[in-house]
């Protein structure tokens, strides 16, 4: 209830449309469409441009995924819509081509391996960093460390990989030092076997600090008295960490875990496409780069759309399942019919 | 913030060393590569040859690499393109997002729920690369700088962050203005926006960083190399193995300047100018991060 809805008499002395619009729902139910339109048109005008862009660049392509069931040929019509109307429907033909392509399954396996690897070796690190930063008593030291570790989040993938190449690559600083001391330099950046470790290290370098922000906020929300009572009851620092800190972080951890699981088929795009040439397809091809190299480059639109649709549908199912799972475990989940 | 509590154990020496050591290591791992890149970009050919590549210890201050990349040519052009796209794109994005966030900030207005749903659903559904490519090219945006702006102009995440902030503006203020006869536009510009500078700054930074850092859209949509943004040029130099065209029209009458700066120094100078914009804006917006990130996380 807002102030206006409490103070205005129910019938109102002013005609409804001229009355100051209440800031919440209450009285709108009783108004007709034209009255509401007359009152609310500025909101609609404000929202419209952004909504149009989202429809054009998000929903139209989403619907455009139906070309996955076509032998789409851009030369059949004089516009994209014309080609779409003229292209023949071929049912699941594109999916047959896709599922029989071993390179597609390689890409699926690579993607899932990287997701799994990063869940184990990347996901927990921001939690540790947040706990570490939170335990630093000096505000100045903490502020400085935070400023430094947040920074790489704002670098592009081109930059992050550039820094890695200049430090660890074949012509980088590490190779120089090894060579000067008579050792054979090790190929880190172009070794397919090391690729999964390298991309994870790049991700950690870029986003470790940024990922800790959410956990730091959750730590700040933990009631300090819980720590004190635990200490009075004889819990040492490790038991307080286990019985107070980690339960306090649990909802955030579960939330981010769901989001990550729902995104299991996306490991990022630019990071992989930038390194695919140096490392080779066998290790560096993920689903997104597969779509680019198998569809956009050779202009095999139907098969590419089929791969994209496969990824989108599986991703949607994953996030719905993960969210339901979280609800069942008694956690809040990502969304809940608001 | 927290001082030492009476009930807390005294920190052990091992614990303090371990913590301190970890933090120092983290800071070094982030800063050392940046340091080495800056030092190399300012090094002379002699120093670079002596080091065998990347330089760690600064020996001189030779700005010729920077003079070279700013003396016209590929890098200057790419920096110009990136600046135009970043400023123009951020302006377009901020205007669209601010209006839509305010337009969706009053529950109960006409079509509020379905419109909000249109934006929220984008979190769940990704359209896919091929149809997006066909739509963008079908609209005639191929080889146009608009292809770097329009497809990503509205981020639902930023919209939700801003909307959450706008909804937190005290209802009393808004109602009072409305009773005084202010229009919704007046309320947005005179009451809501002045109270929301922090969120506008953070969202503006998110958009600007996105535009400045974008690489792949230029690979997809831009054929003519004079329209390529700086990330594309950097990619060509560092990962594509191309050598920067080192121009000879560097003013050599300046002290300490060599006419033909070493190619590695030029490459590292390109890295530095690509990093600098982020470094310049960063301190101004940093204190608002937590708020911005948390608003999105909580109300999204």
């Amino acid at each position: 209830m807002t102030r206006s809805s409490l103070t205005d008499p129910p019938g109102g002395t002013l005609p409804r449309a001229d009355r100051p619009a209440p800031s919440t729902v209450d009285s709108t139910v009783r108004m007709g469409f034209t009255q509401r339109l007359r009152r609310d048109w500025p909101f609609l005008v404000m929202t419209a441009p952004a909504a149009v862009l989202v429809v054009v660049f998000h929903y139209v392509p989403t619907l455009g995924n139906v070309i996955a069931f076509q032998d789409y040929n851009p030369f059949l019509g004089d516009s994209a819509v014309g080609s779409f109307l003229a292209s023949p429907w071929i049912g699941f033909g594109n999916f047959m081509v896709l599922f029989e392509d071993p390179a597609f399954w390689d890409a699926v396996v690579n993607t899932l391996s990287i997701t799994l690897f990063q869940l184990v070796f990347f996901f927990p690190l921001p939690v540790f960093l947040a706990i570490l930063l939170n335990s630093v008593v000096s505000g100045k030291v903490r502020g400085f460390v935070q400023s430094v570790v947040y920074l790489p989040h704002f670098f592009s993938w081109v930059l992050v990989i550039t820094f890695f190449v200049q430090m660890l690559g074949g012509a980088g600083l590490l190779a120089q030092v090894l060579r000067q001391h008579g050792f054979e330099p090790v190929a880190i950046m172009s070794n397919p076997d090391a690729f999964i470790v390298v991309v994870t290290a790049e991700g950690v370098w870029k986003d470790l600090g940024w990922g800790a922000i959410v956990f730091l906020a959750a730590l700040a929300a933990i009631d300090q008295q819980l720590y004190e009572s635990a200490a009075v009851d004889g819990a040492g620092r490790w038991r307080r960490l286990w019985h107070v800190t980690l339960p306090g972080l649990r909802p955030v951890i579960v939330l981010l875990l769901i989001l990550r699981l729902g995104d299991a088929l996306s490991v990022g795009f630019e990071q992989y496409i930038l390194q695919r040439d140096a490392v080779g397809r066998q290790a560096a091809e993920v689903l997104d780069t597969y779509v680019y190299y198998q569809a956009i480059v050779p202009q095999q639109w139907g098969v590419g759309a089929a791969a994209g649709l496969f990824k989108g549908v599986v991703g949607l199912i994953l996030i719905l399942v993960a969210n339901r799972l979280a609800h069942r475990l008694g956690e809040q989940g990502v969304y809940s019919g608001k | 913030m927290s001082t030492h509590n009476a009930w807390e154990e005294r920190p052990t020496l091992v614990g303090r060393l371990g913590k301190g050591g970890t933090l120092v290591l983290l800071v070094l791992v982030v800063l050392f590569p940046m340091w080495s890149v800056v030092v190399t970009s300012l090094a002379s050919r002699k120093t670079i040859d002596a080091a065998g590549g990347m330089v760690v210890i600064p020996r001189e201050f030779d700005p010729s690499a920077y003079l070279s990349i700013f003396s016209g040519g590929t890098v200057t052009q790419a920096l110009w393109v990136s600046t135009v796209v970043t400023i123009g794109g951020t302006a377009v994005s901020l205007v669209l997002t601010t209006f839509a966030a305010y337009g969706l900030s009053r529950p109960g207005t006409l079509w509020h729920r379905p419109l909000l749903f249109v934006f929220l659903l984008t979190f769940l559904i990704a359209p896919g690369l091929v149809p997006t490519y066909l739509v963008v090219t079908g609209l005639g945006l191929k080889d146009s700088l608009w292809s770097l702006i329009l497809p990503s102009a509205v981020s639902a995440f930023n919209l939700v962050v801003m909307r959450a902030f706008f909804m937190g503006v005290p209802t009393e203020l808004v109602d009072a203005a409305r009773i005084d006869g202010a229009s919704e536009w007046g309320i947005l510009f005179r009451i809501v926006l002045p109270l929301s500078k922090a969120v506008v700054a953070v969202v503006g930074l998110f958009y600007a960083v996105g535009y400045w850092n974008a690489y792949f859209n230029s690979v997809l949509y831009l054929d003519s190399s004079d329209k390529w943004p700086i990330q594309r040029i950097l990619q060509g130099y560092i990962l594509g193995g191309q050598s920067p065209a080192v121009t000879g029209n560097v003013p050599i009458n300046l002290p300490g300047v060599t006419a033909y700066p070493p190619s590695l120094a030029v490459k590292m100078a390109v890295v530095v100018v690509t990093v600098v914009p982020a470094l310049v804006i960063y301190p101004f917006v940093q204190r608002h991060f937590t708020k911005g990130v948390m608003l999105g996380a909580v109300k999204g």
Side-chain angles (χ1 to χ4, degrees):
Chain A
M1 286 300 248
T2 61
R3 212 144 142 254
S4 65
S5 62
L6 284 174
T7 48
D8 287 348
T13 43
L14 298 165
R16 284 245 173 81
D18 299 330
R19 238 172 63 177
S23 301
T24 41
V25 212
D26 317 340
S27 61
T28 53
V29 187
R30 284 166 278 148
M31 296 172 73
F33 174 78
T34 33
Q35 281 175 310
R36 290 181 74 188
L37 186 63
R38 203 180 304 159
R39 188 195 66 180
D40 293 339
W41 69 265
F43 294 115
L44 296 177
V45 171
M46 287 177 187
T47 313
V52 167
L53 272 191
V54 169
V55 167
V56 169
F57 290 105
H58 206 99
Y59 289 99
V60 171
T62 301
L63 294 177
N65 270 313
V66 296
I67 67 165
F69 303 98
Q70 276 191 326
D71 183 12
Y72 181 81
N73 182 347
F75 303 108
L76 284 179
D78 44 8
S79 68
V81 178
S83 315
F84 166 69
L85 292 175
S87 295
W89 295 88
I90 55 164
F92 286 87
N94 291 322
F95 291 90
M96 293 311 199
V97 174
L98 187 68
F99 294 153
E100 277 163 20
D101 182 3
F104 170 73
W105 294 111
D106 286 349
V108 171
V109 169
N110 281 343
T111 310
L112 290 177
S113 313
I114 292 167
T115 294
L116 199 66
F117 190 85
Q118 298 196 339
L119 269 181
V120 177
F121 294 101
F122 185 177
F123 188 83
L125 295 183
V127 183
F128 296 144
L129 177 63
I131 292 172
L132 178 63
L133 282 173
N134 201 50
S135 73
V136 173
V137 176
S138 155
K140 262 187 192 156
V141 171
R142 190 170 42 186
F144 173 73
V145 175
Q146 280 174 304
S147 306
V148 172
V149 295
Y150 292 169
L151 186 59
H153 174 75
F154 296 95
F155 295 169
S156 66
W157 277 115
V158 178
L159 269 175
V160 172
I161 293 164
T162 296
F163 282 122
F164 268 75
V165 166
Q166 295 307 125
M167 291 298 116
L168 308 176
L173 192 59
L174 180 67
Q176 273 163 236
V177 173
L178 286 177
R179 233 176 262 125
Q180 276 162 1
H181 291 82
F183 296 102
E184 197 58 31
V186 277
I188 299 174
M189 298 301 291
S190 56
N191 182 352
D193 295 327
F195 182 68
I196 199 166
V197 180
V198 169
V199 284
T200 306
E202 289 163 354
V204 170
W205 193 78
K206 191 177 196 284
D207 280 324
L208 170 65
W210 189 253
I213 293 183
V214 181
F215 297 113
L216 276 171
L219 284 173
I222 296 177
D223 188 353
Q224 288 303 306
Q225 287 188 342
L226 289 176
Y227 286 106
E228 190 170 347
S229 344
V232 170
D233 288 349
R237 55 168 67 87
W238 295 109
R239 293 195 61 183
R240 291 201 301 274
L241 181 71
W242 183 255
H243 290 292
V244 182
T245 310
L246 285 181
L249 291 178
R250 206 176 72 149
V252 186
I253 294 177
V254 170
L255 181 92
L256 292 180
L257 206 55
I258 298 172
L259 287 174
R260 189 67 202 88
L261 282 177
D263 243 6
L265 291 185
S266 321
V267 285
F269 185 29
E270 290 194 352
Q271 191 189 1
Y272 294 87
I273 214 147
L274 285 164
Q275 294 176 94
R276 186 178 174 275
D277 288 344
V279 181
R281 191 189 67 74
Q282 209 59 39
E285 190 89 291
V286 292
L287 266 175
D288 284 320
T289 56
Y290 174 85
V291 173
Y292 178 68
Y293 282 103
Q294 300 300 314
I296 303 238
V297 174
Q299 310 222 323
Q300 281 198 31
W301 306 114
V303 178
L309 190 58
F310 171 83
K311 179 177 168 258
V313 170
V314 174
L316 185 62
I317 294 171
L318 281 177
I319 200 158
L320 294 176
V321 168
N323 197 59
R324 169 148 307 177
L325 206 66
H327 281 305
R328 193 153 291 173
L329 292 173
E331 301 289 346
Q332 262 206 319
V334 182
Y335 57 88
S336 50
K338 40 194 311 183
Chain B
M1 187 186 78
S2 61
T3 48
H4 204 71
N5 292 310
W7 48 267
E8 234 171 324
E9 305 91 333
R10 294 195 62 77
T12 61
L13 184 66
V14 177
R16 285 170 65 176
L17 285 179
K19 263 187 216 173
T22 313
L23 293 179
V24 169
L25 188 73
L26 276 176
V27 169
L28 281 182
V29 164
V30 173
L31 292 186
F32 177 77
M34 296 166 68
W35 165 260
S36 174
V37 163
V38 171
V39 170
T40 308
S41 75
L42 290 166
S44 67
R45 184 178 301 276
K46 204 176 73 197
T47 314
I48 288 179
D49 287 347
M54 297 297 287
V55 184
V56 177
I57 301 150
R59 299 214 184 278
E60 69 270 285
F61 184 86
D62 182 349
S64 47
Y66 290 91
L67 295 171
S68 163
I69 62 174
F70 284 114
S71 65
T74 318
V75 178
T76 317
Q77 171 69 17
L79 283 172
W80 178 240
V81 168
S82 281
T83 308
V84 168
V85 169
T86 302
I87 292 177
T90 307
V92 169
S93 292
L94 267 184
V95 169
L96 289 172
T97 309
T98 307
F99 277 136
Y102 186 69
L104 293 169
S105 69
R106 304 281 157 218
T109 51
L110 189 61
W111 295 336
H112 172 265
R113 283 179 69 91
L115 277 173
L116 183 60
F117 192 68
V118 163
F119 290 100
L120 292 183
L121 199 60
T122 62
F123 284 122
L124 285 183
I125 299 174
L129 186 60
V130 170
T132 307
Y133 177 85
L134 292 175
V135 167
V136 173
T137 49
L139 288 171
L141 296 180
K142 182 111 180 156
D143 217 23
S144 153
L145 288 184
W146 286 108
S147 66
L148 304 187
I149 295 178
L150 290 180
S152 51
V154 178
S155 136
F157 176 82
N158 288 341
L159 183 92
V160 167
V161 169
M162 249 195 188
R163 173 177 175 269
F165 201 94
F166 288 170
M167 289 176 84
V169 171
T171 322
E172 289 81 1
L173 282 177
V174 176
D175 284 344
R178 210 172 271 141
I179 290 164
D180 290 345
S183 69
E184 289 303 334
W185 310 88
I187 293 172
L188 172 60
F189 282 107
R190 284 197 218 112
I191 294 171
V192 174
L193 275 182
L195 289 172
S196 311
K197 283 179 195 141
V199 76
V200 173
V202 172
V203 166
L205 173 84
F206 286 166
Y207 275 128
V209 166
Y211 284 118
W212 183 264
N213 285 348
Y215 158 76
F216 189 66
N217 275 354
S218 77
V219 177
L220 274 182
Y221 302 125
L222 298 181
D223 295 329
S224 7
S225 57
D226 61 332
K227 290 178 184 159
W228 287 354
I230 188 67
Q231 308 286 346
R232 181 90 178 263
I233 302 300
L234 182 61
Q235 186 271 340
Y237 288 167
I238 305 288
L239 307 169
Q242 294 156 18
S243 278
V246 177
T247 51
N249 51 356
V250 169
I252 44 168
N253 47 352
L254 292 170
V257 171
T258 38
Y260 291 92
S263 147
L264 183 64
V266 176
K267 286 180 181 178
M268 291 307 108
V270 178
V271 176
V272 173
V273 295
T274 311
V275 172
V276 158
L279 289 186
V280 172
I281 314 177
Y282 182 70
F284 295 102
V285 201
Q286 197 210 343
R287 59 203 167 97
H288 303 304
F289 279 167
T290 311
K291 212 179 228 170
V293 171
M294 289 318 287
L295 273 175
V298 175
K299 306 246 178 155

